[in-house]
Amino acid sequence: MIAGGRHVLFVGGGSAGHVVPSIPLIHHFRDAGWRVTYVGSGAPEKDLIPALQVEFFSIPSGKLRRYWSTKNVLDVFRMLAGIWQATRLLRRLQPDVIFSKGGFVAFPVVLGAWLNRIPVVAHESDLTPGLANRLSAPFVDVVCTSFVETQLGRARVKHTGTPLRPELLNGVADRGRELCGFDTGKPLLLVVGGSLGSDVINTAVRRGIRHLTKRFNVAHVCGPGRVDARLRGQPGYRQFEYIDAGWGDVLAAADLVVSRAGANAVFELAALGKPSLLIPLSAQASRGDQIDNARYAERQGWSRVLVEEDLDHERLLVELIGLESRAVTLRQRNAPSDATATIAGVIESVARTPAAQR
């Protein structure tokens, strides 16, 4: 373990998936005596990272769109400003190594690191790489991946898996049931539509709630501002805008899970041995990365998949009955393990390697 004044800088943002996987690594390096800093741009990193008592720096970042928009013109200038600010910031901070988790803010920092000859380790969560990591790859020393099949051109790729938060691995089921207000009479079905919620999943659950609650106690994480007041007090049904403290406990209590198919969610559910029904974001609303993640999980035997176009309350119930019947088999599949120590080892190795040998 390297200590003695070493400094690792993290970058990533724009969504929870580009921030949360860094948190176990932040704890790892801080516990090992490293200085830890973080560069972001907006939500959610501005809320999540300072709460960890980590030095936080903000730079502008333009959105990397895959389609034409007049906003692209303005975002070119934001991106250039971000590269300029990141280059100056890194010259001042002089970290030993940078860990990039992707998102729009990552590319200016990675390019600034290359200009300052600071080594970079990146992590790609999805099976198919995102645009920020594809642009960053030529300037990165090592790209760690969650999926074995992920490739990034000529970049040096190392399959590691994904970091998992300790609180998820150490949840207490009784506390989770207590938080939801359920007894142990029926299986607990946990429904979560991503950090912002999902209208299409929320609608399917609520239209079928009377049928679902005949079979399950339903804990529904529906997203900020998406609680349906008409269903407050519905027996066997509890709505949450989000769950922060106690999330690991609720996961521990869950017998079945309905979820989007972001890479972090897929790996967390598989690591916990939770039989899951994945409803990936449609290709019309995304680049299709969640569809790829979900099909991979299905091939591994971790999950069943229901595409959004086929989702309604009747099909949801049918799929959940099928999932319940296969729950024991799904729990017995080989599950991924926490990759925090593995990725930390890669970061430490890159930080130790002289520039001429990288």
Side-chain angles (χ1 to χ4, degrees):
M1 187 72 66
I2 305 175
R6 289 286 194 168
H7 176 190
V8 55
L9 182 144
F10 290 81
V11 60
S15 71
H18 292 303
V19 181
V20 170
S22 291
I23 293 175
L25 289 162
I26 287 172
H27 289 306
H28 173 96
F29 282 103
R30 192 161 57 183
D31 291 347
W34 290 52
R35 179 187 178 191
V36 176
T37 54
Y38 198 104
V39 175
S41 181
E45 61 269 23
K46 278 187 175 180
D47 299 319
L48 293 173
I49 300 303
L52 302 174
Q53 305 300 310
V54 170
E55 292 178 85
F56 183 87
F57 302 90
S58 181
I59 64 169
S61 64
K63 185 174 181 180
L64 303 173
R65 296 177 182 85
R66 299 170 187 80
Y67 54 88
W68 166 249
S69 169
T70 54
K71 294 179 181 178
N72 290 347
V73 177
L74 180 59
D75 281 342
V76 167
F77 292 100
R78 288 196 182 115
M79 186 68 68
L80 291 172
I83 293 169
W84 181 73
Q85 289 190 23
T87 302
R88 293 187 63 200
L89 178 66
L90 295 176
R91 189 172 298 137
R92 176 165 63 87
L93 294 178
Q94 285 296 307
D96 294 283
V97 62
I98 290 171
F99 179 75
S100 169
K101 194 60 200 72
F104 305 133
V105 71
F107 178 69
V109 175
V110 170
L111 185 56
W114 181 76
L115 293 171
N116 281 291
R117 297 182 62 79
I118 299 168
V120 178
V121 175
H123 184 269
E124 176 55 60
S125 292
D126 291 312
L127 182 64
T128 53
L131 181 57
N133 270 344
R134 295 205 306 273
L135 292 174
S136 298
F139 310 104
V140 168
D141 293 82
V142 181
V143 179
C144 299
T145 66
S146 294
F147 296 90
V148 176
E149 293 92 338
T150 301
Q151 294 296 324
L152 260 168
R154 296 181 180 179
R156 181 184 167 196
V157 172
K158 181 177 178 61
H159 170 242
T160 57
T162 198
L164 300 173
R165 291 169 284 172
E167 60 267 29
L168 299 188
L169 302 175
N170 300 309
V172 179
D174 286 343
R175 289 203 302 252
R177 282 188 287 269
E178 183 179 353
L179 178 62
C180 295
F182 298 142
D183 58 27
T184 57
K186 289 182 286 190
L188 195 156
L189 170 64
L190 173 62
V191 180
V192 55
S195 58
L196 298 179
S198 162
D199 285 337
V200 65
I201 293 176
N202 291 349
T203 298
V205 169
R206 287 164 177 159
R207 285 182 176 173
I209 195 61
R210 286 172 178 78
H211 295 289
L212 288 171
T213 53
K214 290 177 181 177
R215 197 176 192 99
F216 307 105
N217 286 319
V218 181
H220 184 186
V221 184
C222 52
R226 298 174 188 259
V227 168
D228 189 335
R230 296 169 298 178
L231 292 174
R232 286 194 176 112
Q234 170 73 30
Y237 179 58
R238 177 75 187 278
Q239 301 174 84
F240 301 88
E241 290 193 349
Y242 59 89
I243 301 175
D244 185 9
W247 178 237
D249 297 331
V250 173
L251 278 171
D255 295 287
L256 305 176
V257 181
V258 174
S259 174
R260 285 299 198 187
N264 297 318
V266 167
F267 275 84
E268 288 171 355
L269 294 173
L272 294 170
K274 296 297 174 182
S276 59
L277 176 64
L278 300 177
I279 305 174
L281 200 62
S282 71
Q284 287 71 37
S286 72
R287 62 184 177 87
D289 50 303
Q290 290 201 10
I291 297 172
D292 294 332
N293 296 342
R295 292 304 180 193
Y296 177 91
E298 186 176 48
R299 291 195 301 272
Q300 297 299 311
W302 299 341
S303 309
R304 290 170 67 101
V305 177
L306 173 59
V307 296
E308 188 173 288
E309 291 80 0
D310 294 339
L311 174 63
D312 60 29
H313 66 282
E314 294 176 340
R315 181 66 182 273
L316 178 63
L317 180 59
V318 169
E319 291 291 334
L320 287 170
I321 292 172
L323 181 67
E324 188 179 27
S325 70
R326 295 186 57 216
V328 173
T329 302
L330 290 170
R331 289 191 189 100
Q332 292 172 345
R333 297 291 184 180
N334 290 331
S337 57
D338 179 21
T340 300
T342 302
I343 297 173
V346 174
I347 295 170
E348 292 170 359
S349 176
V350 169
R352 276 196 300 260
T353 304
Q357 298 178 24
R358 291 199 295 267

